């Protein structure tokens, strides 16, 4: 069943994170006020008994699983057990609990890193599990694949309306700017901003040649709400296996991204490459045919999105 009535309730798991906070903004903007939100202190999603008790009490109509342990290439590569274990725990509690509670539709957020490292581009949903994963994020990817498959298994065995969306690399206000654990886009905003005053060269990780697709958080959030609102027939006609990529349809190299960020930040520094750091997967542009077939289109182009994210970063600095 799809989200249609503002009296229906939606549990956004992970509502304080980058994506979850965007989903809350998008739901409120669309007139949905019955949002069920829990901070980590109020509900530990790795605690199965607590999650079950929460579902028994709240009985949400819809669920968005935006809660996850996430990070950039280095965090993924250096904390493999945390990325695998924490994500398996969170998603099995939240997804299975939703099934037991009779949730009408659940949207689980996977990631494009679940596709094989060398899959043809653009990545179609059907390429899942057709080849080896990128080693730096295989732990996170395995957890996310398990979540996608749990939704598929529940749908197959019990006929529930649980689907998965695979967002490409996303960014926006509220992002993590810690240089060790962040993704590339916020890291480069910070590096260029700090280099503006020092005049030092900016050091990028890897070779600058990998290509990435970037989606502004409010665009991703709008696409998630769009999927929640899509009637069942249309949803499963576009995505018979319940998998839907979320992206903007084009990508650029890390070197090109750096030039764009440098321009937005107004920096003039030279760029160096630390090739001891990993490049990760060479490219992961998603095929957005399914999402676009549902009538959704992105709204915020990369330069505008970077500008908004930089403005937010400056506000945080005070
Ligand atoms: O965004 P990022 O950390 O994640 O890195 P992935 C993307 C590319 O940017 C890599 C390069 O080729 C990095 O080497 N890069 C250059 C930098 N300079 C920097 C920098 O200062 N910081 C960072 N972080 N990267 C993650 C996965 O992969 O993406 C996750 O590990 C998840 O599982 C997430 O899928 C969306 O795109 O390589």
């Amino acid at each position: 069943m799809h989200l249609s009535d503002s009296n229906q309730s939606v549990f956004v798991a992970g509502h304080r994170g980058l994506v979850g906070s965007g989903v809350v903004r998008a739901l409120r903007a669309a007139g949905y006020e019955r949002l069920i939100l829990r901070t980590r202190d109020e509900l530990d999603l790795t605690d199965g008994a607590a999650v079950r008790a929460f579902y028994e009490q709240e009985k949400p109509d819809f669920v968005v699983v935006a809660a996850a342990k996430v990070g950039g290439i280095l965090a993924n590569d250096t904390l493999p057990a945390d990325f695998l274990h924490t994500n398996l725990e969170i998603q099995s509690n939240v997804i299975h609990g939703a099934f037991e509670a009779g949730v009408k539709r659940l949207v689980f957020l996977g990631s494009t890193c679940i596709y094989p490292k060398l899959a043809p581009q653009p990545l179609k949903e059907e390429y899942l599990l057709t080849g080896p994963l990128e080693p730096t994020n295989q732990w996170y990817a395995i957890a996310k694949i398990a979540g996608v498959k749990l939704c598929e298994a529940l749908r197959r065995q019990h006929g529930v309306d649980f689907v998965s969306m695979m967002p490409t690399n996303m960014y926006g206000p509220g992002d993590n700017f810690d240089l060790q654990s962040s993704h590339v886009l916020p890291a480069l905003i910070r590096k260029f901003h700090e280099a503006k005053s020092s005049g030092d060269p900016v050091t990028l990780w890897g070779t600058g040649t990998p290509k990435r697709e970037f989606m502004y958080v409010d665009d991703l959030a709008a696409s998630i709400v769009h999927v929640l609102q899509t009637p069942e027939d249309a949803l499963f006609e576009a995505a018979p296996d319940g998998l839907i990529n979320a992206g903007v349809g084009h990508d650029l190299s890390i070197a090109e991204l750096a030039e764009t960020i440098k321009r937005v930040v107004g920096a003039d520094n030279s760029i160096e490459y630390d090739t001891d750091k990993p490049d990760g997967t060479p490219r992961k542009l998603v095929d957005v045919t399914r999402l676009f077939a549902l009538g959704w289109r992105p709204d915020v182009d990369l330069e505008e999105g970077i500008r908004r994210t930089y403005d937010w970063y400056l506000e945080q600095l005070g």
Side-chain angles (χ1 to χ4, degrees):
M1 186 196 278
H2 64 285
L3 177 64
S4 55
D5 178 339
S6 58
N7 286 321
Q8 292 167 317
S9 63
V10 188
F11 170 41
V12 182
H15 76 283
R16 287 242 176 116
L18 177 63
V19 181
S21 55
V23 171
V24 168
R25 283 195 297 278
L27 284 167
R28 288 201 170 124
Y32 299 99
E33 292 296 338
R34 285 195 59 207
L35 305 185
I36 303 170
L37 310 172
R38 291 290 185 279
T39 63
R40 193 173 301 189
D41 286 347
E42 290 164 344
L43 177 62
D44 176 1
L45 298 175
T46 66
D47 179 344
V51 173
R52 251 193 316 277
F54 157 80
Y55 273 122
E56 265 167 34
Q57 191 191 321
E58 294 293 339
K59 299 205 179 326
D61 295 314
F62 294 86
V63 174
V64 177
V65 190
K69 177 165 180 63
V70 299
I73 192 165
L74 204 65
N76 269 265
D77 203 23
T78 49
L79 302 170
D82 291 3
F83 274 82
L84 180 57
H85 182 242
T86 308
N87 285 309
L88 283 174
E89 275 192 328
I90 291 174
Q91 64 201 36
S92 89
N93 291 337
V94 176
I95 298 171
H96 200 261
F99 161 65
E100 287 177 332
V103 164
K104 297 183 173 61
R105 178 176 291 171
L106 175 144
V107 176
F108 171 66
L109 294 175
S111 165
T112 54
C113 72
I114 71 175
Y115 292 114
K117 174 177 179 145
L118 299 177
Q121 308 282 322
L123 296 160
K124 291 183 190 298
E125 290 84 351
E126 69 212 44
Y127 298 160
L128 184 64
L129 291 172
T130 55
L133 298 166
E134 153 62 27
T136 55
N137 59 31
Q138 59 179 314
W139 320 97
Y140 176 75
I142 289 282
K144 288 291 183 184
I145 291 170
V148 169
K149 286 292 172 187
L150 181 56
C151 291
E152 189 181 334
L154 287 166
R155 219 170 44 245
R156 188 177 288 205
Q157 191 176 332
H158 300 288
V160 293
D161 203 354
F162 288 14
V163 298
S164 299
M165 291 180 73
M166 260 57 69
T168 193
N169 290 34
M170 74 207 109
Y171 71 98
D175 217 332
N176 168 19
F177 285 80
D178 174 81
L179 291 180
Q180 287 307 305
S181 61
S182 67
H183 292 101
V184 61
L185 195 148
L188 295 195
I189 288 180
R190 179 169 172 181
K191 286 181 178 180
F192 278 108
H193 175 75
E194 290 177 353
K196 246 195 333 184
S197 39
S198 73
D200 293 340
V202 166
T203 305
L204 306 195
W205 295 352
T207 60
T209 56
K211 296 183 89 175
R212 294 289 184 271
E213 177 182 12
F214 295 94
M215 187 177 200
Y216 188 66
V217 60
D218 287 338
D219 274 340
L220 173 63
S223 75
I224 294 167
V225 174
H226 190 84
V227 165
L228 281 171
Q229 291 176 317
T230 302
E232 205 166 326
D233 291 357
L235 182 62
F236 289 102
E237 191 187 316
D241 54 8
L243 262 65
I244 305 162
N245 288 335
V248 296
H250 49 85
D251 60 0
L252 76 175
S253 71
I254 297 301
E256 289 166 328
L257 173 74
E259 288 302 330
T260 311
I261 293 177
K262 184 172 157 177
R263 193 165 56 244
V264 171
V265 170
D268 191 22
N269 308 65
S270 59
I271 294 175
E272 292 175 350
Y273 289 94
D274 174 0
T275 51
D276 288 339
K277 294 281 195 310
D279 265 344
T281 199
R283 196 177 182 200
K284 47 178 174 177
L285 175 67
V286 291
D287 185 307
V288 283
T289 306
R290 290 182 177 186
L291 185 60
F292 281 22
L294 297 178
W296 182 85
R297 294 289 182 283
D299 189 40
V300 181
D301 73 28
L302 183 61
E303 195 148 338
E304 172 62 19
I306 293 172
R307 194 167 295 118
R308 291 187 199 177
T309 309
Y310 183 44
D311 286 348
W312 183 87
Y313 175 69
L314 291 176
E315 274 170 33
Q316 305 311 300
L317 292 181

